[in-house]
Amino acid sequence: MADTSLVLSTLVSYPALIPYEEALEKNAYDVKGWTGYLIEIDEILDVLGDKFDELARGSTGSSSGGKKKKGGRAASSVEVGGRTIRLDTPAGGGLVSGLTKEIRALQSARNQVSERSLSLLPGSYKLWWDYLQFRSEVQSGGSVRGGESVAPTGGPNPDQALASSGSHQAYRATVSAYERSLVRCNKYPRIWLSYITYVIRFDPTCSPTNVRRLFDRCLLALPATQHQKVWDEYVCWATRSMPPWLESGNVGRDSLGPVCALLKKGKLYDATGSDNDNVHGGGIPPETILRIIRRYVHSFDPSARELLADLCLQHERWGEGAVTLVSILNDAAYLSPRGTTRHEMWLRFAEVATEHPLEVKRAGVDFNAIVRAAIGGSASGATAADGWEVFDHLPSKEEPGGGVAAPSSTKDDDGEHGGDASSSGGGGGTARSTTSQANLANLGELEGTLWTKLANYHINSGEFELARSVYEEAMESVSRVRDFSLIFDEYMKFEEGVVEAMMELMEEEEDDGDGEGHDADCAGGDSPMDTDGGDADEDYDILLGDAYANSRPSARVGDDDDDSPASADIELALARAENLTSRRPILLNRVLLRQNPHNVGEWTKRSTLYLKLGQTRQAVDALEEAFRSVMASRSVNGSPSVLWTSLATIYEEKEKDIAAARKVYQRVCRDGEYTFRDTDELAQLWAGWVEFELRHESWDTALSVARQSVSNPEPEKRNRVTRGLSRSLRLWGLLLDLEESLGTVQTAKDAYNRVIETKVATPSHILNFAGFLTEHKY
């Protein structure tokens, strides 16, 4: 009763408020009457607040300047609400203190007025919102409305306010008001968010659990159509950063919520706690943050998966981060709110899997299978369909035109390491090739990077041999010189690192065991390396292939140091590095051929490179593969006839196999195994066959071949190119020369008559015929 009497006496002391009381006695359910009443009280508080600030500044200036008014007293008055308030107390703090008591009394009276209005109109959102905002502003210490928590002359200090019992009571009273408002107004998100913001700023226990529970209650109470507003604030509070969809401005909202506004102003949390504007900022456990974002992603907005992945990586949850990134990559329709490209997602995922392979494996992510599915390869121990469905449904593009496609694997070996581990036959290979082309078209220039990341993944897992296999397969798979250079440089760096590590290890072992090694040598007997020395070269040949077998010296150095196992390992590592360097031109040539398998010049260069290495068998296989790959209608950088001539020359000069060289000419000329673009290319091979027979003094065979070259082909072998051989000036000139040299007079006459009948003869032919007849007296 005493408090109620004090409130009433305070209100009636302002004549301007009495008409509102009289009007509300007649109609107590008039919302406009109550709001007008509260506005009038607010205006009185504003005037008193201005006077409070003026006196506070004057008191501070007087004490700092060391000057006082005469008599040490200050007389002042303020007229507000129809009442004149005389301030004639002594200066130096008493004046301000008296005004503060008046302000606090009027604030308490205003709260009582709001309580009276809400007791009559408990469902009025307007009255509740005004009451709650007033109490929150008083607690925040803004202007004169901080009467319950401000220091008389120093302004608001929430740290000290929350430590006092009076502030605890004010906080509990405000929370009680919010809870009572939610009984009737629990479908209004503004009240919920205002309540949450108040608790974030002024909860004395500094407990993130209280805030989290309030957010959860809010989501349960509000309809799903209003959850986005709440989740924006929830994510902002949990992550202590602006949500990316608000940063990018893609979502059309007129204003930010109260929590986001605090963050934008830099008041959501203060590491020093000086303003107490967010005592929860540093106290949210990482697991709580991740659970909140997981719930948001899986239950409300899947487009925030990138935010979840970033938080997982930030808190070193590598496995979950990798799983989240995989789900993003599997979603072909995913658009990043931050504008992150798909290539950047790939690189981020590859970095995580490469740097933390064990954690990624434990999370069930098979990085090897994912990369191989992306680039169109086959995963060992897993298939491309193991959860990476996006790569199996990429749109395929049919190659224009028909003909022989470039083979996905090579049949010749670049040393022992040059074989293609993924070669396979049957119709399934064509389907995989089409899918591979579509995948690589989507990856762009990322193919080489993914191969190197996959190799580093195996290296960091301690699987060095698998890493070597990946490097070898990558160099046999890429079709860009840039990707090849990247892979080769990483491969070479890896081999050099292995050599350096082995040398350092050997030096440490030598330093630690010099004495023990000397005693062991004196103890007697031959070392195991001595007994097995004869098999060392064979082991190197198996590991490094024919290239090493042909290039190694005939005898090994027999130093004592070289007989140790560590020295043998170092020699093997060095040999691997040298072998890799020597194979670089052939590997690069294969890349260029994958770009254009119809490049005759590159096929010829490939066989030449093998010949320089002494690998005749591989040179032959390369040319045989060229016959199957090069289409005459698409050939560039040379004529396909050069390939056949090169193969015959290898058999003739390198293998000394005349029969095999003759068989090559028979295959292309007589059997028609290859279809050329024009007649002159085939005529060049017929002429080469004749010259081959002449070089080996097979005169009759040479003459027979020359006659066959201009004869009419068999019906089943007749086409545009073979029909034109009977009109080839090159072949007729060669035949006429051979007939004059090796044939009879009659056969020569018949050849000349035939060339004239076919209307191929030139004036030179006529003159030569006349000279021939004159010479033989015809």
Side-chain angles (χ1 to χ4, degrees), residues 76-252:
S76 179
S77 63
V78 57
E79 186 174 349
V80 57
R83 173 188 172 188
T84 301
I85 302 175
R86 296 192 57 82
L87 304 173
D88 53 358
T89 57
L95 192 74
V96 176
S97 178
L99 187 57
T100 301
K101 292 179 180 179
E102 184 66 28
I103 292 174
R104 288 182 177 176
L106 191 56
Q107 288 174 346
S108 298
R110 190 193 189 284
N111 289 337
Q112 289 293 333
V113 172
S114 296
E115 292 286 354
R116 286 168 53 199
S117 66
L118 291 171
S119 65
L120 297 172
L121 300 166
S124 173
Y125 167 77
K126 189 172 184 179
L127 292 176
W128 274 117
W129 179 251
D130 180 81
Y131 179 39
L132 297 174
Q133 287 300 105
F134 177 79
R135 293 198 68 99
S136 298
E137 290 177 6
V138 169
Q139 184 74 15
S140 66
S143 184
V144 297
R145 300 190 179 187
E148 294 183 8
S149 60
V150 298
T153 59
N157 192 334
D159 280 339
Q160 297 177 3
L162 292 178
S164 64
S165 59
S167 295
H168 278 247
Q169 294 175 0
Y171 173 79
R172 287 194 295 270
T174 305
V175 169
S176 175
Y178 273 110
E179 290 291 344
R180 287 185 286 116
S181 70
L182 293 175
V183 174
R184 297 294 184 93
C185 303
N186 56 6
K187 301 299 181 183
Y188 295 95
R190 289 187 66 188
I191 292 181
W192 278 107
L193 295 179
S194 176
Y195 184 14
I196 293 169
T197 305
Y198 178 79
V199 173
I200 289 175
R201 298 186 65 186
F202 301 111
D203 182 9
T205 62
C206 306
S207 173
T209 304
N210 294 340
V211 181
R212 179 178 57 80
R213 289 175 177 172
L214 276 178
F215 272 116
D216 293 342
R217 287 174 56 195
C218 176
L219 291 171
L220 290 173
L222 295 177
T225 54
Q226 295 181 341
H227 280 192
Q228 183 64 59
K229 298 178 181 179
V230 180
W231 274 117
D232 290 347
E233 305 295 288
Y234 205 174
V235 172
C236 179
W237 170 76
T239 62
R240 291 165 289 174
S241 62
M242 193 70 69
W245 51 89
L246 294 182
E247 287 181 348
S248 59
N250 294 332
V251 181

Side-chain angles (χ1 to χ4, degrees), residues 11-32:
L11 292 174
V12 299
S13 63
Y14 293 93
L17 301 179
I18 295 177
Y20 291 99
E21 286 286 349
E22 295 174 350
L24 290 172
E25 285 183 2
K26 298 177 181 179
N27 186 6
Y29 297 95
D30 183 11
V31 176
K32 290 184 179 180

Side-chain angles (χ1 to χ4, degrees), residues 744-760:
T744 64
V745 175
Q746 186 59 41
T747 57
K749 286 174 59 179
D750 292 342
Y752 274 113
N753 289 330
R754 187 179 170 195
V755 76
I756 293 173
E757 289 174 1
T758 55
K759 299 180 181 181
V760 183

Side-chain angles (χ1 to χ4, degrees), residues 86 196 246 282 310 377 471 490 537 553 574 607 617 731 736 765:
R86 296 192 57 82
I196 293 169
L246 294 182
D310 292 343
Y471 279 126
E490 290 292 329
D537 290 339
L574 288 172
S607 65
R617 185 68 258 168
L731 296 179
L736 295 175
H765 291 157

Side-chain angles (χ1 to χ4, degrees), residues 4 60 88 172 236 246 253 268 275-276 358 377 380 388 393 402 406 595 644 668 671 698 723 729 762-763 765:
T4 304
T60 304
D88 53 358
R172 287 194 295 270
C236 179
L246 294 182
R253 293 182 176 86
L268 181 58
D275 291 334
N276 199 28
L358 298 180
S380 58
W388 327 120
H393 301 285
Q595 291 180 356
W644 292 93
V668 66
D671 300 339
S698 300
R723 285 197 303 267
L729 291 177
T762 64
H765 291 157

